[in-house]
Amino acid sequence: MKRIFLVVVLTMIFCPLAIPSYAEEKKVEIKDGVIHFPEKDFQTVALSKLTFSFPPDCPQELLSIKGKIFRGELKKTGRLNITYTNLTYLIPLGYNSDTKELTVYLVLEKGYGSGYEVKPYQGGLRGIFDLENGSVLRWVQSFRIKTQEYRLYFLLKNENLRIERSDGFSADYSPVGRLPEES
């Protein structure tokens, strides 16, 4: 009985040390002006493609997310209780003080398509900043993919973001990386 107890105690102590930490694996790296995401075969993003603009008079909530990269999994439970997921990253790009528009860059693991031809996709989302009701964002180049609304909420307690998409997908986003200061 003492041996079983000893084995259980040792297992409880040493098992967590043997299990890899997924939080450590999910780090975003920026090398040679390119954002590399930790997932295998995930698209990269060249910083030269992105234009950042956060004027000093933009809302404080936007200044708090400036320079951060957020990660989340869009999820939706469909028919037959099948859960669909799509790993995504958000990169806040800026705010226009005149039009009150917020712009973010979204990198999707699976874009739009039919059947097995669904490929990764990335592009800009833009919409009027609305802290109370959520900012309704739409693809900047809507002619390339179907029209989709992304409602962006700021979860102010822990600097996280939430997206609720018009087709029922939703995700909570947390910071997983920082952009270089000159961006």
Side-chain angles (χ1 to χ4, degrees):
M1 187 70 170
K2 287 182 182 180
R3 282 188 179 168
I4 293 174
F5 179 73
L6 182 60
V7 168
V8 169
V9 169
L10 289 175
T11 303
M12 290 174 55
I13 291 172
F14 291 109
C15 267
L17 300 175
I19 298 172
S21 172
Y22 291 102
E24 290 177 22
E25 291 180 21
K26 299 297 179 197
K27 291 195 179 191
V28 174
E29 291 184 1
I30 300 173
K31 291 188 264 183
D32 301 323
V34 177
I35 301 171
H36 297 271
F37 300 101
E39 290 77 19
K40 183 181 177 188
D41 300 328
F42 209 84
Q43 291 183 325
T44 59
V45 177
L47 286 174
S48 61
K49 283 177 62 173
L50 307 177
T51 304
F52 300 95
S53 175
F54 287 92
D57 64 339
C58 76
Q60 183 60 39
E61 293 79 15
L62 297 179
L63 289 175
S64 71
I65 64 170
K66 174 185 173 186
K68 296 180 182 176
I69 301 171
F70 295 83
R71 179 184 189 276
E73 281 190 29
L74 285 168
K75 291 183 182 181
K76 174 183 176 181
T77 302
R79 288 183 247 164
L80 303 174
N81 278 339
I82 297 173
T83 301
Y84 301 95
T85 63
N86 193 357
L87 180 61
T88 57
Y89 286 89
L90 286 177
I91 304 167
L93 295 179
Y95 177 75
N96 183 321
S97 299
D98 295 331
T99 63
K100 308 295 185 220
E101 283 185 318
L102 163 67
T103 307
V104 297
Y105 197 77
L106 180 65
V107 182
L108 294 144
E109 176 183 35
K110 297 172 244 170
Y112 295 96
S114 60
Y116 297 104
E117 298 176 18
V118 179
K119 296 180 181 177
Y121 187 79
Q122 55 183 277
L125 297 171
R126 183 182 306 143
I128 303 298
F129 177 71
D130 185 348
L131 187 60
E132 290 181 26
N133 303 309
S135 303
V136 177
L137 307 175
R138 292 185 178 84
W139 289 103
V140 174
Q141 297 176 328
S142 61
F143 63 91
R144 294 189 62 189
I145 58 175
K146 75 179 194 177
T147 302
Q148 193 69 253
E149 286 186 1
Y150 290 75
R151 190 171 294 270
L152 177 68
Y153 296 95
F154 287 79
L155 308 176
L156 301 176
K157 295 176 190 170
N158 49 10
E159 293 188 4
N160 287 352
L161 304 172
R162 173 176 292 143
I163 280 188
E164 293 177 1
R165 224 164 66 174
S166 59
D167 61 357
F169 279 85
S170 64
D172 287 340
Y173 291 83
S174 56
V176 292
R178 281 197 83 57
L179 297 167
E181 290 298 320
E182 56 271 1
S183 295

